[in-house]
Amino acid sequence: MSIHTQESVSGFVASEPQLTNSTSGNPRLYFRFGQEHFRREEDGTFTQLETSYHHLVMFGRSAERTSAKFAKGDNFLAEGYQRPVSYEREGQTVESEEFVAKRIGHDTARTRYDVDRSPRGADRIRAASEPSRAFDPRAQPAVSNAPSLGR
């Protein structure tokens, strides 16, 4: 089985996240995000270039959860896809693009946080009936035909 990959984007939340409903009534999260750009110089230093700003949207329960966890200034990584959009501003049609995030999280390289590993919602019922299992990275895969990792 091959590795499933998707487009990703990183940046910082540049506007207050806005949770609204789409035309179909689905929760929709929107915010503008910024991306800092740098140029590496011959002497090994970096020169900061102009920051670019873009649109990010997210839908459904993920949008609701993200809205509760993200604020202006947060650094993030998101998985999803880019799509073209058009909208009207001051009577003019503007052609642009937006990133549709399917998953999003804080950038661990730039954010301090605590992790709550307690199960949510329906997972609590299942977790209560299963024995507790600690993650052991040295454990062998359950699939017998999995490739060896050289351990």
Side-chain angles (χ1 to χ4, degrees), residues 50-66:
E50 187 174 340
T51 301
S52 62
Y53 293 90
H54 313 277
H55 306 275
L56 183 142
V57 294
M58 189 171 217
F59 298 95
R61 291 188 58 167
S62 296
E64 294 172 323
R65 289 185 184 126
T66 300

Side-chain angles (χ1 to χ4, degrees), residues 21-82:
N21 287 316
S22 67
T23 54
S24 64
N26 195 19
R28 177 186 184 269
L29 178 68
Y30 165 83
F31 62 80
R32 285 189 45 85
F33 70 94
Q35 290 186 311
E36 296 178 321
H37 302 279
F38 296 87
R39 178 180 61 231
R40 185 182 177 106
E41 305 296 346
E42 288 184 23
D43 65 0
T45 61
F46 291 87
T47 300
Q48 187 167 7
L49 305 174
E50 187 174 340
T51 301
S52 62
Y53 293 90
H54 313 277
H55 306 275
L56 183 142
V57 294
M58 189 171 217
F59 298 95
R61 291 188 58 167
S62 296
E64 294 172 323
R65 289 185 184 126
T66 300
S67 172
K69 301 284 185 191
F70 280 77
K72 185 175 179 179
D74 286 355
N75 293 290
F76 70 90
L77 300 168
E79 171 186 87
Y81 59 94
Q82 188 175 305

